[in-house]
Each structure stands twice: as structure tokens, then as C-alpha cells.
Amino acid sequence: MTILTVLYTIIGAGIGLAMGALPGLTVTMTAVLVVSLTYGWPMTDALAFICGAFCGGVTGGAISAIGLNIPGTSAAVATVFDGHPLKNRGEADNALNVALMTSFIGAIIGIIIMLLVGPAIGKFALKFGSQEYFLITLWGLTLVSVLSKGNWVKGICSAFFGLFVGMIGMDPVMGLMRFTFGTRILSGGINFVAAMIGLFGMKEVFNQLSTTASFNITRTVYNLKGLLPKMDLLKKVWRVIPWGGPLGTLIGLLPGTGGDVACIAAYGVAKQVIKKPSRPFGEGAYEGVAAPEVANNAAIGGAMTTMLTLGIPGDSVSAIILGSFYLHGLLPGPTFMMTEKHYFYLIVGYLIIGSIAAYIFGILGSNLILKAINLPKSLLIPFITILCVVGSYALSNNLYDVFIMVIFGIIGYVFEKTGFPIGPIVLAIILGPMIERNLRQALINTGGVFPFVSSLFTRPISLVILILVIASYVLQKRVMKDAN
Amino acid sequence: MKRQKDLLFVPYILLVVVIVAMFYELSRMIFVSKIELFDLYSPLIFCFLVAFGLLFFLVLSFVGDLKQKQAAAKEEEKEVAVDVEELKRIILYVLGLIIYIMLLPRLHFVAATLIYMAIIVFLLTEATAFTTKLLRAVISSIIFVPVVYYIFYGIFNVVLP
């Protein structure tokens, strides 16, 4: 770790915080733009920047959730429920104070669990065969599809579309060209980062075009002194920390789920567990702000653990980060803790610095960020567009990728408008080759379809994973239902 | 009352095209390239599963959406509709973007972006006075583009188009 990488982490956290706070500019979009723009950088510098942006992005969502009643990111959806009522009571400073403080604590809890659990999972993952990997990757993909907003069948359709996109180009096992339709352009496959910039960046530009008016938030001003850590506020919310952090990390650890699920689940659990909140939930309970913020930030550590030790992204943000690791020649997976152990601890270090920086920037820069939200969309829209164009071009200095980005932007817009979630597309593009490789290897190893299916029940680890799969569906559906 | 356009069938059309393309490519590989489909070593088995899975769930989703649409029609409301003005704006924006991308190799980043930015800011600015709009567009473009150029090319070392 050098001074320069520390500086990149801090800058990344600042940019992530601002982007996370801007409604419509999601953490995923921030991550994908940061990944594309740091593509040409040395690996450690890029990692530092990406980790900082990830931490900042998740924390930033609370700023607009409280000030605007619009979550800056999907991971701050539940922060709105009590954060905005607190603002309406004239306690915006206290609400943001609690959100920033608990975000930081949650992130540190997640990182500590990551440090404790990561090496153990990495060691255990070495025992995994093709069957286990097939099950885990499929688990992640189906979980994200089923838990997507709206109709789960549409989520599965989106996942299948993503699998198709991931199959274009060379077959990962035998090198056969597939779905290129005889064109040279498609023979290298679809650049997944360009597709992601389109799906998350360009799509958002089209969404923002629906209205050119900016957000009217001129009356919201945070008092800097009111955002400094306060013991009396911490005393009010400490009850959610012992379970909120581990719960968020656990949800982050599950393949296919991340901060968005963690925050809703934590809010649901808080409503059940805390019998005497500071105020009724939904009317400005401090615990209602603290629980989702602890959990969504703790999920960062969980998602990074699964991604680094199993090579499986927890959510669309970690899918993009996983893609960036591939671009930089890093191969997360079971052997990562053996061969690239130092990177694991380096990432932990970047996440800690990123969380500290996000906390400090949150205190010092919230008013500036709220002013930035007020920027006219006539400036914001071309700015994001140019970022998307530059980002997709930078991948391989090729205008073809820019056109791919625009096409996926249109697809993302239409899909979202019609209720087809786009998260599963991204996850499927990344996970598709893994699922295919492991399925085909497992089929060859077992010698047929029936031996393969029976091996899923006879192999102890795959049986445990199967039980976990079923348990996760039942539990998550229940928690989400309670939260709703 | 705002005119609205139903977009519900657009993703279905796209996904049907994808399914047709997948089955066409699969049949070409099976019958022309003589690659076995139901073989343990077949490179087509996963493609077939994906094509079949997409077809199955698309039909399921379509039936569900049709039922929902019929129910919504009874209540005289549209489920998935987009304002026609918004749609026009997006189509025009995409066309402008394509022209900008095509101009990039000829005019290079700075010149092409200056023009693009100025036009977009001018068109999206809500002010009614022509001179105000023009001034805002020109000034923001002149400030914005060199800053972006310096940040990306100078600091980030990103190769610009």
C-alpha cells in the first residue's frame, strides 16, 4: 500500500459518495464507470479507487434518502422510511449523523467478519468440485432473479437473456464460435463492461430525459456541527448494531444478494426485534435509520468475501468489480487465498480507508453534495453521457464498444420500463461462462445426466449447498415479506 | 391528457428475435457443422438449455402479462405506458448520440464534444429566452469540455476517441 493508493481510495470514496447521493446515479453505475476509466491503470491503483468508490457509494445513498425522500441508491431504500420523517421533524442533522455513524460501524463490522471468515471460506472452497460450483453459481443467479423487483418470471427471463449475451463468441471449454452469425464483430464476444455501462449508465440518462427539471431541495441544509459523532445518538441506536452488522454481512455473503436486500431485511428485523423504539417505526425512529445503514454497509464485507474466495459476485456491484478483476488479470476463486493472499489483505485495507474517508466526506461534504443534486439536468445528462462514451471507448479504444453501450442502454431502458429487471442480466453475463463450464465438466465427470443429478444429493458438500439454497429462499422470502 | 405509448411488447419482440436466432444457430451447427446436441461432450448442450429455458419462461411471462393487461383494460388503465413526448425525446437523443459517436473519429474528442454538449444543453435548458439558452449552452460547453479532457486524458490517462 502506497501513499498514492491511499489517495486513490480517498478520492474514490469522495466520488462514490457524491454519485451514490445523486438519485438515479446508482452505486452500480459508479462502479461500472470507475472500472472502465481505471482500466488502463496499474492494478493496485485501480483496486484502491474501485474499493473507495464502493464504500462511498453505499454510504452516499443515505444523504438524499434523508434530505430528498429519494434513496440515492437501492441500498438506501429502507433509510427513507424513518430518515425523511426525521428530517420533516427538523432533525435532518441527527438523522444523517446516525446514518453516517452506523454506516461506518457497519462497514467495519463487515470488514472484520471478512477478515475472520474469508480465509476459512477460501480453504473450504478448495474442496469444491464442479457440482458444488454449478450449484452455487446457479443459486446466485436464480436468487437475484427471484428477489428482483416485480415479477420473478421476468427476472428469470432477464437472466436467460444475460446468459445468451455471455455465450456470444468463443465457447469457454472447446473454443467453438457461437452466436456470431458469421460476423467478425461478434467473434470476440460482447464486451461485458460496455454492456454494463449501457445497462446502468446510459439507461439512467434515458430515464432522466423523462423530465428535465432538477430536484428542488434548496431548503435542506445540514449543520456541520450536528453531523459530528454524538454519544447520546449512538446510545439510542446501539441495540441494532450487534445483530445488524452480522445480518448484513451474512446477506452480503449469500450469492446474489447485497446491500439492497440487507437494508430491507434489517429494517424488517428491527421492527420485530425492537419493541420500544425511540419513536414508532415510519415516524422517525432512529433505529429505523440505523438498522438499514448498518446492514447495507456490512454487506460490502460479505459480498467481497464471497467474490474473492469463491469467485462468485454477491450482487451487480460485485459482479462489475469481479469483471474488473478479470480485466486486470486477477482471478478471484478458491485458489485466490493461496496465490493472491496479499491482494485479499490489500483490499481489506482499501475498504477500511474507503469507509473512514466516506464517513469524513459525509460529514464535511453533505451540503456540497445536496447542492450538486440541484444541478440542472441539462448539464447532468450530457455529462453522464460523455462519461459513458469515454468509459466504453477506453476499454479497447474501439467505437464498436460505444455502439454496444448505446444498444444496451436502450435495452436496459425498455426492460426496466416493462418490469424486466436488469440486475440478473449483468450477473448472468458474468456467471454464465462459470455455470456452463462447471455444468459441462460435471456432466463429463459423472458420465451422464442422471449420475450428475444423483451426485448432487450424494456428495456431502453439494447436499449441504442444496439445503442452504432451499433455506435461503424460504428465509429471504419470509424476511422480505415481513419487511414489506 | 398526455398521449401514452405501450411498451409492453417491445422486450417480448426482442427476446423472440433472440430465441429465433439461437435456435437458427443451433440448427445450423447441428445439421451443417454436424455437431451432436445430446452428447456429454457437446458444446451445444448449454446453449440448447438456455434457448429452451428462455422460450419457456418467456411464454409464461407473456401469458401473465396478457392476463394482467386484460384486467387493467377492464379498469380502463394502462399498465406499461410511456409518455409519447418522453419517447420522442429519447429517440431524438439516441439519434443525436449516434451522430456524435460517428463524428468522433473525424472531429476528435474536443471538437465533437464541444458541439454535442452545446447542442444538448441548449435543447434541454428550460429557459425560454433564446439568448439565455444559447449563452448557457456555449459557456457550459467551453468550461466543461477542457475540464473533462484534462481530467480524463491528463489525470486518468484515458485514451479519448
Side-chain angles (χ1 to χ4, degrees):
Chain A
M1 195 180 288
T2 61
I3 292 174
L4 196 68
T5 52
V6 170
L7 195 70
Y8 281 137
T9 317
I10 294 169
I11 296 170
I15 293 173
L17 192 84
M19 296 280 270
L22 286 166
L25 310 190
T26 58
V27 186
T28 323
M29 182 181 160
T30 311
V32 77
L33 286 172
V34 164
V35 164
S36 62
L37 294 173
T38 55
Y39 175 53
W41 289 18
M43 184 160 48
T44 48
D45 295 0
L47 277 181
F49 203 85
I50 293 163
C51 289
F54 192 9
C55 293
V58 178
T59 306
I63 297 172
S64 50
I66 294 163
L68 274 171
N69 201 21
I70 304 169
T73 66
S74 56
V77 167
T79 312
V80 170
F81 304 152
D82 283 283
H84 196 67
L86 268 170
K87 184 228 158 191
N88 289 340
R89 286 171 177 266
E91 292 185 55
D93 298 341
N94 283 347
L96 190 62
N97 191 327
V98 167
L100 291 174
M101 202 159 45
T102 49
S103 290
F104 174 67
I105 296 169
I108 296 298
I109 292 173
I111 295 165
I112 291 170
I113 296 174
M114 178 183 175
L115 269 171
L116 295 173
V117 174
I121 294 179
K123 211 171 177 181
F124 185 63
L126 287 171
K127 293 177 184 161
F128 284 10
S130 309
Q131 284 92 327
E132 286 78 20
Y133 261 101
F134 170 71
L135 275 177
I136 289 180
T137 44
L138 201 66
W139 181 21
L141 190 58
T142 49
L143 206 57
V144 80
S145 311
V146 171
L147 290 176
S148 300
K149 275 182 276 178
N151 190 337
W152 68 270
V153 181
K154 287 186 174 179
I156 301 278
C157 287
S158 293
F160 274 114
F161 175 66
L163 287 174
F164 163 72
V165 174
M167 279 194 297
I168 296 172
M170 201 180 279
D171 158 27
V173 180
M174 297 172 87
L176 180 82
M177 282 294 173
R178 299 178 308 188
F179 306 117
T180 57
F181 307 101
T183 57
R184 259 192 326 124
I185 297 171
L186 291 174
S187 59
I190 301 270
N191 190 321
F192 62 88
V193 181
M196 286 176 195
I197 296 174
L199 287 171
F200 290 104
M202 208 59 223
K203 175 219 69 181
E204 214 44 63
V205 168
F206 298 144
N207 274 334
Q208 298 295 328
L209 278 168
S210 58
T211 164
T212 50
S214 54
F215 301 102
N216 186 18
I217 49 139
T218 42
R219 285 179 195 171
T220 310
V221 177
Y222 293 117
N223 177 10
L224 184 69
K225 212 175 166 187
L227 298 180
L228 294 172
K230 284 181 186 166
M231 277 310 286
D232 59 320
L233 282 177
L234 190 62
K235 274 181 193 166
K236 279 183 182 170
V237 297
W238 72 269
R239 282 180 294 174
V240 303
I241 295 168
W243 57 263
L247 176 75
T249 315
L250 183 71
I251 291 172
L253 276 169
L254 291 177
T257 55
D260 46 353
V261 177
C263 82
I264 294 172
Y267 189 80
V269 174
K271 275 167 76 178
Q272 287 183 336
V273 170
I274 300 168
K275 298 293 175 201
K276 287 180 184 171
S278 51
R279 280 194 199 103
F281 281 102
E283 294 175 26
Y286 287 111
E287 295 87 347
V289 176
E293 285 303 313
V294 168
N296 65 17
N297 278 272
I300 297 174
M304 290 298 260
T305 308
T306 313
M307 190 196 72
L308 292 173
T309 56
L310 299 178
I312 297 162
D315 55 5
S316 47
V317 181
S318 46
I320 290 160
I321 295 175
L322 180 69
S324 84
F325 283 10
Y326 288 157
L327 290 176
H328 287 283
L330 261 186
L331 291 174
T335 56
F336 188 79
M337 289 306 288
M338 285 168 68
T339 56
E340 314 280 6
K341 206 174 186 174
H342 58 291
Y343 280 116
F344 179 83
Y345 293 108
L346 201 62
I347 289 165
V348 167
Y350 292 149
L351 289 177
I352 293 171
I353 296 166
S355 305
I356 296 169
Y359 185 38
I360 295 169
F361 280 132
I363 294 171
L364 300 176
S366 291
N367 282 326
L368 200 71
I369 290 167
L370 285 181
K371 275 184 187 158
I373 297 171
N374 234 355
L375 263 178
K377 283 190 183 173
S378 58
L379 290 176
L380 205 61
I381 288 170
F383 175 65
I384 303 168
T385 307
I386 291 163
L387 277 185
C388 293
V389 170
V390 171
S392 49
Y393 181 82
L395 296 168
S396 53
N397 302 336
N398 192 342
L399 280 179
Y400 160 69
D401 286 336
V402 183
F403 282 111
I404 289 289
M405 180 273 294
V406 176
I407 292 167
F408 273 88
I410 298 166
I411 291 173
Y413 174 79
V414 174
F415 268 45
E416 203 174 70
K417 284 280 173 195
T418 48
F420 285 86
I422 53 173
I425 303 177
V426 174
L427 222 60
I429 295 174
I430 296 276
L431 289 178
M434 278 191 230
I435 297 173
E436 177 174 12
R437 200 180 311 118
N438 288 302
L439 172 69
R440 283 167 62 184
Q441 267 170 10
L443 279 172
I444 292 166
N445 292 343
T446 51
V449 176
F450 292 110
F452 164 68
V453 174
S454 66
S455 74
L456 296 178
F457 295 93
T458 52
R459 289 170 68 98
I461 300 175
S462 67
L463 185 64
V464 170
I465 296 171
L466 262 181
I467 294 166
L468 281 174
V469 171
I470 296 162
S472 73
Y473 278 111
V474 175
L475 272 174
Q476 295 232 25
K477 278 282 168 195
R478 213 171 143 183
V479 170
M480 300 292 274
K481 201 177 163 188
D482 289 344
N484 289 333
Chain B
M1 195 182 160
K2 284 182 174 177
R3 280 199 306 138
Q4 298 205 308
K5 192 89 183 161
D6 198 346
L7 287 183
L8 182 65
F9 295 108
V10 181
Y12 286 108
I13 294 166
L14 172 80
L15 291 174
V16 165
V17 171
V18 166
I19 291 169
V20 171
M22 284 177 91
F23 278 113
Y24 165 77
E25 188 79 346
L26 277 171
S27 57
R28 198 183 60 78
M29 285 196 266
I30 293 165
F31 298 112
V32 180
S33 305
K34 306 282 179 205
I35 299 171
E36 285 280 331
L37 175 61
F38 297 109
D39 180 81
L40 277 183
Y41 295 89
S42 174
L44 305 182
I45 188 77
F46 188 69
C47 308
F48 175 75
L49 287 175
V50 170
F52 189 77
L54 181 57
L55 177 66
F56 177 77
F57 282 101
L58 197 68
V59 171
L60 215 63
S61 172
F62 188 69
V63 172
D65 269 346
L66 270 186
K67 278 183 186 169
Q68 211 174 8
K69 206 174 156 61
Q70 279 170 352
K74 279 179 190 168
E75 291 164 23
E76 291 184 354
E77 58 179 57
K78 281 194 171 180
E79 278 291 305
V80 188
V82 176
D83 181 16
V84 172
E85 285 306 311
E86 179 188 335
L87 216 55
K88 270 185 196 168
R89 211 178 296 155
I90 290 166
I91 291 167
L92 282 174
Y93 194 81
V94 170
L95 287 175
L97 187 59
I98 290 168
I99 294 168
Y100 165 61
I101 296 167
M102 287 167 86
L103 279 177
L104 278 171
R106 290 175 181 82
L107 298 179
H108 297 289
F109 180 76
V110 175
T113 310
L114 270 171
I115 298 167
Y116 169 77
M117 179 92 186
I119 294 171
I120 295 297
V121 173
F122 180 82
L123 292 174
L124 292 179
T125 301
E126 283 183 317
T128 42
F130 181 82
T131 43
T132 316
K133 284 172 85 171
L134 192 68
L135 263 177
R136 189 182 276 187
V138 172
I139 292 169
S140 54
S141 179
I142 287 171
I143 295 170
F144 175 81
V145 177
V147 171
V148 166
Y149 182 82
Y150 177 72
I151 291 173
F152 290 124
Y153 191 70
I155 299 173
F156 281 77
N157 286 327
V158 171
V159 179
L160 296 169

